[in-house]
Amino acid sequence: MKKNWIYSKWCFALACALLMGVATSCGDDDGEGSGTGTGQQPTLPDLGITDPVVAVAGEYDGERFNYENDVLVGGTGFYDADYTFYIGNAPLVLKVFQEDYEETWSNIRTNEHGAITYASLLGVSLGEYFTGTFTAKYNEDNQMTESALELSEDGITEYDKWTFVWENGNMVSYRNTYSIDYTDEEDFSYSDNGWFDYGDSPVSNNGIYHPDVFPYDYYFMLYAGLFGKPTKDMPVSVVFSSTDGYGDDAYAYTAEKDEKGRIVTLYCDGEAYYYYGYADRPIELTGAGWHAPGRAVRGIRARLASRQAR
């Protein structure tokens, strides 16, 4: 995000959604930890995508995706260091490998569309471990309405919760609350909000997960369809507000499309922000362009640690 520290945007970090007019989640949302699906990830046809994004790149981060039989199966990325990721099926499992760090999502349950409703997390870094759980709910259009991440390590428990409001296929706002409980120190918490506007003449979205709309740090989870559908249109502006002294921030977006109507460049306040590659239109994963400061570091553990340091 421009305020990916807010999200960190996921570190593992990322989100999104609610329909029902301008309200909260629909009555048929999946319950916490429930799942009626097969535990398999969705295919590109399931997601309604005919020309998938094969790479996402900002100035300081990026990922390249590999597809097999219409599903995203793995790839490579970079942030402060290179990493690889892998999606396995039967059973569904997610793995990220970076130097001195490994993160695994297992025991995964999904809804009928293949979006994750529950997962167990395990992180290993230099011989130290953390464990956790992730839960999510979705509306009838398979857009995320709630997510909750809970992590535990050495007497410390962290909670990262999101709620999302959707209207007419677009996310219009979110609320995030983060807290950390210590056994021998003062507890810490804060919250923040975001409001998105799509303008009078919305720009249609060909399958891009806007980096500031979805609070998840690893792009491959989004583009694999594991957290539901993206917005129908691309937002033209956003206002962020938090309780930790940063105040309000507002940003404007524009999207450049190619001759096929695919978004190839996303601009923020007039500067190139993110680039998107396709099979017939590749992009580089380094030095792509301007990027706002504060992008979350990769990995759940690292993201939450960065919040504690603030």
Side-chain angles (χ1 to χ4, degrees), residues 99-145:
E99 183 179 5
D100 299 326
Y101 181 76
E102 179 178 331
E103 186 166 307
T104 301
W105 292 48
S106 61
N107 301 318
I108 294 173
R109 293 197 286 271
T110 67
N111 65 11
E112 64 272 23
H113 304 291
I116 294 175
T117 59
Y118 175 87
S120 299
L121 281 64
L122 173 66
V124 183
S125 178
L126 298 175
E128 297 185 356
Y129 294 79
F130 71 83
T131 59
T133 59
F134 172 81
T135 58
K137 296 181 180 181
Y138 304 82
N139 63 21
E140 60 188 9
D141 291 330
N142 197 32
Q143 297 164 322
M144 187 182 287
T145 59

Side-chain angles (χ1 to χ4, degrees), residues 211-288:
D212 292 346
V213 172
F214 293 87
Y216 299 94
D217 221 28
Y218 292 111
Y219 302 121
F220 76 91
M221 294 186 176
L222 293 167
Y223 285 89
L226 296 173
F227 297 115
K229 296 173 62 176
T231 56
K232 180 182 70 174
D233 305 306
M234 296 295 284
V236 297
S237 65
V238 62
V239 175
F240 296 117
S241 177
S242 68
T243 60
D244 58 1
Y246 281 88
D248 295 350
D249 285 305
Y251 302 96
Y253 305 109
T254 55
E256 176 187 353
K257 295 188 174 184
D258 65 6
E259 65 282 357
K260 295 184 177 181
R262 303 172 301 188
I263 294 171
V264 294
T265 307
L266 179 65
Y267 294 86
C268 182
D269 288 347
E271 300 285 347
Y273 190 31
Y274 273 86
Y275 296 79
Y276 301 92
Y278 302 87
D280 62 343
R281 191 186 179 103
I283 59 172
E284 296 295 328
L285 286 190
T286 58

Side-chain angles (χ1 to χ4, degrees), residues 40-227:
Q40 302 297 300
Q41 68 184 104
T43 65
L44 293 174
D46 293 335
L47 299 171
I49 296 175
T50 57
D51 197 353
V53 171
V54 300
V56 177
E59 182 177 3
Y60 302 125
D61 66 345
E63 288 183 3
R64 190 177 303 281
F65 311 132
N66 299 327
Y67 294 89
E68 293 180 4
N69 299 319
D70 286 332
V71 297
L72 198 162
V73 296
T76 59
F78 75 92
Y79 183 69
D80 56 346
D82 294 341
Y83 58 92
T84 59
F85 48 86
Y86 163 81
I87 301 176
N89 282 281
L92 182 60
V93 62
L94 315 177
K95 287 184 174 290
V96 180
F97 303 94
Q98 188 172 333
E99 183 179 5
D100 299 326
Y101 181 76
E102 179 178 331
E103 186 166 307
T104 301
W105 292 48
S106 61
N107 301 318
I108 294 173
R109 293 197 286 271
T110 67
N111 65 11
E112 64 272 23
H113 304 291
I116 294 175
T117 59
Y118 175 87
S120 299
L121 281 64
L122 173 66
V124 183
S125 178
L126 298 175
E128 297 185 356
Y129 294 79
F130 71 83
T131 59
T133 59
F134 172 81
T135 58
K137 296 181 180 181
Y138 304 82
N139 63 21
E140 60 188 9
D141 291 330
N142 197 32
Q143 297 164 322
M144 187 182 287
T145 59
E146 299 179 25
S147 70
L149 176 68
E150 180 177 335
L151 297 177
S152 298
E153 177 186 14
D154 294 337
I156 299 174
T157 303
E158 297 167 77
Y159 305 91
D160 196 20
K161 298 182 179 180
W162 296 78
T163 57
F164 307 94
V165 178
W166 295 71
E167 292 181 12
N168 302 318
N170 290 320
M171 187 193 299
V172 295
S173 66
Y174 75 77
R175 179 172 177 80
N176 170 229
T177 58
Y178 170 79
S179 63
I180 179 168
D181 295 342
Y182 296 97
T183 56
D184 55 359
E185 299 180 37
E186 183 178 355
D187 295 344
F188 168 81
S189 66
Y190 82 91
S191 64
D192 55 70
N193 300 272
W195 298 269
F196 299 92
D197 183 72
Y198 293 81
D200 296 328
S201 300
V203 177
S204 61
N205 183 5
N206 62 286
I208 299 298
Y209 287 84
H210 192 290
D212 292 346
V213 172
F214 293 87
Y216 299 94
D217 221 28
Y218 292 111
Y219 302 121
F220 76 91
M221 294 186 176
L222 293 167
Y223 285 89
L226 296 173
F227 297 115

